[in-house]
Amino acid sequence: MKNLKGKVAVITGGGSGLGRELALVCAARGMHLVLGDVDEPGMQETQRLVEEAVPGTRSVSMKLDVSKLAEVQALAKLAADTFGGAHLVFNNAGVSSGGPLWECTEADWVWVTGVNMYGVAWGIKAFVPMMIEQDEGHVVNTASAAGWVNSPGGGIYNAGKHAVVAISETLALDLRDVQANVGVSVLCPAFFPTAIVDADRNRPAELADTAPMSETRKRREEMVRHAVSHGRLSAAEIAEMTVKAVEDEQFYIFPHKKIKQLIKARAEAADQEKEPFDTMAGR
Ligand SMILES: NC(=O)c1ccc[n+]([C@@H]2O[C@H](COP(=O)([O-])OP(=O)(O)OC[C@H]3O[C@@H](n4cnc5c(N)ncnc54)[C@H](O)[C@@H]3O)[C@@H](O)[C@H]2O)c1
């Protein structure tokens, strides 16, 4: 989608981290904003920052849980009622929890997969028909490097992000099949500094964390916290790269180029048929 000025951007997870930076980049392009997040004060802060950076930007927000289809459909209705539609949808809300797979609870699976995988599925279901109808649109799904290469202790997150890559590729093919004028991109960053390491702050009480804090889990959490806080690219830089990739009609977005080497190494491990590829080996 080449010209974003005057178009409508919808951003889930718009109350923090990458979602907030995407809002700022889209506002700078002259877009109107529709934000969705469980964190209402977070979205208000994003709107305040947008107003400060690009005064006069039109924006609305809705408190919602992306794992619930009806709530994402209500966000689509808000976009249609307020701005007459949605052109650029970022299915971006995401959470993380970790630990060896046999220690993860049913609640861990329901919570993380609900947000990371169903959140993307419902964003597509709620917004793509509107885009096909208006004959214009672009969907950006936030996956991760973890959608391609796996490290120990991140099983549920890895599974959900692999699903987001699969869903995005299939969506692009489905849209091509019907010759729809709707683009797709899948964003696959490595670690970068945001509040994702404290994703539990928005975890629903009915899906509370009851998994044991084993030594393995503790080690994994410390490693992720360190890697996220030391990420070389900022959320702002990744947001700018992402919107530029939409303008360039690019499907795969790898802000950290090293991930492509790891994907090749994984393919090589598969070719060898011996050992599972370990992203963290040698770190
Ligand atoms: N930070 C990283 O290292 C990293 C790396 C790769 C991919 N990602 C992905 O980037 C995306 C954005 O995460 P971030 O790093 O900015 O983290 P963040 O925690 O700063 O932002 C995530 C946002 O999602 C919102 N959210 C959580 N659960 C929700 C729900 N059920 N419904 C609606 N909103 C919900 C949170 O309130 C928060 O505002 C996620 O999909 C994440 O998996 C992050």
Side-chain angles (χ1 to χ4, degrees):
M1 189 184 276
K2 300 241 180 281
N3 188 7
L4 301 180
K5 195 170 162 53
K7 307 264 170 69
V8 180
V10 178
I11 306 165
T12 68
S16 176
L18 180 61
R20 174 170 291 163
E21 298 300 333
L22 286 168
L24 285 160
V25 173
C26 289
R29 299 288 207 277
M31 300 189 83
H32 312 311
L33 306 178
V34 179
L35 308 179
D37 201 302
V38 276
D39 178 357
E40 206 155 26
M43 286 190 288
Q44 285 163 4
E45 176 61 5
T46 299
Q47 286 175 303
R48 190 191 67 74
L49 291 168
V50 164
E51 180 55 29
E52 198 174 272
V54 191
T57 300
R58 293 177 66 200
S59 71
V60 286
S61 66
M62 177 182 275
K63 183 174 171 160
L64 89 169
D65 178 349
V66 293
S67 70
K68 309 269 196 305
L69 174 60
E71 298 187 21
V72 183
Q73 284 172 327
L75 187 71
K77 186 170 181 323
L78 176 70
D81 291 349
T82 314
F83 297 119
H87 302 95
L88 178 51
V89 172
F90 296 93
N91 292 312
N92 168 73
V95 293
S96 161
S97 83
L101 276 164
W102 59 91
E103 289 179 7
C104 295
T105 63
E106 187 179 0
D108 291 337
W109 276 99
V110 172
W111 177 51
V112 176
T113 309
V115 179
N116 292 2
M117 188 182 82
Y118 283 99
V120 170
W122 301 154
I124 291 166
K125 194 162 172 56
F127 286 97
V128 169
M130 182 194 290
M131 292 173 164
I132 293 174
E133 178 73 26
Q134 75 196 6
D135 195 32
E136 187 180 28
H138 196 108
V139 178
V140 179
N141 297 324
T142 303
S144 168
W148 298 87
V149 287
N150 301 301
S151 54
I156 306 177
Y157 187 82
N158 296 342
K161 293 300 186 178
H162 277 257
V164 173
V165 173
I167 289 168
S168 304
E169 288 176 342
T170 312
L171 173 65
L173 300 177
D174 287 347
L175 287 163
R176 194 183 66 186
D177 262 3
V178 297
Q179 293 170 1
N181 186 30
V182 179
V184 182
S185 301
V186 60
L187 171 62
C188 309
F191 296 115
F192 59 95
T194 66
I196 188 119
V197 282
D198 297 312
D200 254 27
R201 69 195 187 280
N202 294 318
R203 187 167 173 155
E206 66 276 16
L207 298 175
D209 181 3
T210 57
M213 187 43 87
S214 63
E215 279 309 310
T216 324
R217 181 177 171 198
K218 217 184 283 174
R219 257 202 322 278
R220 190 261 175 188
E221 288 196 2
E222 279 162 17
M223 184 285 292
V224 171
R225 195 169 283 277
H226 182 270
V228 166
S229 64
H230 287 77
R232 292 209 186 103
L233 292 175
S234 68
E237 287 169 312
I238 293 173
E240 178 56 41
M241 288 173 178
T242 304
V243 173
K244 174 82 174 54
V246 169
E247 290 166 330
D248 292 345
E249 295 175 348
Q250 203 181 309
F251 177 78
Y252 297 104
I253 312 174
F254 287 103
H256 305 82
K257 301 300 173 210
K258 195 177 155 213
I259 300 308
K260 293 196 271 190
Q261 293 163 23
L262 292 175
I263 294 169
K264 284 184 191 151
R266 179 183 183 233
E268 181 62 28
D271 189 45
Q272 299 288 319
E273 300 187 21
K274 280 279 189 199
E275 299 289 330
F277 179 69
D278 176 3
T279 316
M280 303 312 281
R283 276 179 75 134

